[in-house]
Amino acid sequence: MKHIVLSFFEMTVGLAFDYFAKEKIDVAIVEVGMGGRLDSTNVITPLVSVITNIGFDHTQFLGNTLEAIAFEKAGIIKNNVPVVVSEYLPETKPVFLDKAESCKAPIYFAQDYIYDEIPSALVGDYQKSNKKGVLKTVEILKNHFAISNDNVRDGFMNVISNTGLLGRWQILNNSPKTVCDTAHNSQGLGIVMNQIKKEKFKQLHIVLGVVNDKDLDSILPLFPQNAIYYFCKPNLSRGLDAQLLQAKAKDYGLLGLVYDSVSEAYQIAKTSAKNNDFIYIGGSTFVVAEIV
């Protein structure tokens, strides 16, 4: 018998699927770990496939062009299974169309649809595009489940309490206003930085840490130079040394001190900030996870 070595992710995906089967669950929402085409979650045949957006992330695994990354993401499209694409770019749309055509899969580009605004507990600016993707997906799922408009509204307003979702423009404090967000690539961080600009504050404090495969030249230019930075390393082997982050950030005019941990950086930021200041914690999902 051939010896097969599973990664931690592959093993936990198998355990999860086995648990779902034994519990006879009604619905599973399965998110790929990375990419899609070669992801271990891609063994399933879903009722609908969803691709949110494409950005430069994990380029050492997925490719260094938008077309290449889109090709990996499009790998979740299955024969005759509808696919919803929340957002597309000129470079990515043809990739999705080609894959959908080869699979005879109905494809829907949610950003092209117009929906009434529905309030949500998730208030990040990037949720505007995510909402369209959800609403188009729900339309398709109505072919399988009884879903009313009230159900949709309730779901949007109670998504955090229903799921326990954390770290998406999550307000941790109001005086000083303190927000954490798990955005970690240039597309997500660009939207978050623009949302920060809309806030009213005297001084901006940013607790920043990243993982070591992050393309710093694509994200650091997005950060404001008029902030005080608290550089830290998320507590995992992939975390980028905070001193290296500080040195690279300095090239872009981002100045601050290095701290031994995320929690220390956050505590110093809280101590330093005045009530009319603004504190942002981010750069990596792992940084936010150590706060929330």
Side-chain angles (χ1 to χ4, degrees), residues 4 24 32 50 63 71 87 137 159 161 182 193 233 292:
I4 299 176
K24 295 180 173 59
V32 302
V50 181
F71 175 77
E87 298 179 82
T137 302
V159 60
S161 58
T182 58
M193 291 302 112
K233 173 185 175 296
V292 300

Side-chain angles (χ1 to χ4, degrees), residues 13 15-26 28-30:
V13 167
L15 289 170
F17 285 174
D18 180 63
Y19 178 76
F20 296 162
K22 289 178 178 176
E23 292 295 314
K24 295 180 173 59
I25 64 169
D26 298 313
I29 301 173
V30 180

Side-chain angles (χ1 to χ4, degrees), residues 230-249:
Y230 304 76
F231 299 107
C232 53
K233 173 185 175 296
N235 187 26
L236 75 162
S237 59
R238 287 177 56 210
L240 180 67
D241 182 272
Q243 291 185 338
L244 296 177
L245 177 59
Q246 179 195 43
K248 187 68 175 178

